Amino acid sequence: LEDGEKNADLLSLLSEGSRIPVTMECSMMLQIEIDARHWSVKANLWIPPNLDTPGEVGVPQKRGKIADVKDHLDRASSLRDRLWFGETEKSEWVLDGESQLAKMIKMAEFWLEKHNDVLNYDSRQ
């Protein structure tokens, strides 16, 4: 879907399928996949290069607020909930960038917890 022409073709196909007055699993799945791709494009902007290499983590294209990244992860769960698969299959359906965002959140929460005393220190006391 990175190629604009292919993306336009898929959106056109989806539009055509949605005008048919019956529910079709293939068009529902196409909508979910397109939404998942858009989710991943946004997620990948927040993921720095070399995230898995300690000491060599690069700078992401865009820094996201921790709350925004968490909300984005919640949207991944919402996309997964739209699937009609069994729970096992749903849990195996991981979006591109989802595990990296989850890792980033864990890193941030660990750092915040580790330095909580310093970050919440009130010098007026």
Side-chain angles (χ1 to χ4, degrees), residues 13-29 31 84:
L13 183 64
L14 177 62
S15 176
E16 184 180 320
S18 68
R19 288 191 297 267
I20 298 173
V22 294
T23 300
M24 299 179 291
E25 286 184 357
C26 59
S27 66
M28 292 172 22
M29 189 64 192
Q31 178 66 63
W84 54 89

Side-chain angles (χ1 to χ4, degrees), residues 71-83:
D71 287 345
H72 202 61
L73 282 170
D74 288 342
R75 284 189 214 104
S77 295
S78 296
L79 278 171
R80 201 173 355 273
D81 289 343
R82 290 169 45 194
L83 296 169

Side-chain angles (χ1 to χ4, degrees), residues 27-113:
S27 66
M28 292 172 22
M29 189 64 192
L30 181 57
Q31 178 66 63
I32 293 169
E33 288 289 346
I34 288 172
D35 292 346
R37 181 64 191 135
H38 290 143
W39 185 96
S40 292
V41 167
K42 183 174 181 179
N44 285 325
L45 293 175
W46 287 328
I47 300 170
N50 303 321
L51 179 64
D52 296 321
T53 309
E56 294 185 27
V57 177
V59 177
Q61 291 180 22
K62 179 180 178 182
R63 284 187 182 263
K65 294 178 183 176
I66 192 167
D68 294 342
V69 175
K70 285 181 177 180
D71 287 345
H72 202 61
L73 282 170
D74 288 342
R75 284 189 214 104
S77 295
S78 296
L79 278 171
R80 201 173 355 273
D81 289 343
R82 290 169 45 194
L83 296 169
W84 54 89
F85 307 149
E87 290 305 314
T88 303
E89 290 91 355
K90 281 184 182 183
S91 68
E92 293 172 354
W93 197 72
V94 180
L95 300 176
D96 182 33
E98 186 175 3
S99 60
Q100 291 93 334
L101 287 187
K103 180 178 182 175
M104 289 167 45
I105 292 298
K106 284 182 184 178
M107 290 168 62
E109 288 174 344
F110 175 79
W111 185 85
L112 288 168
E113 187 175 313

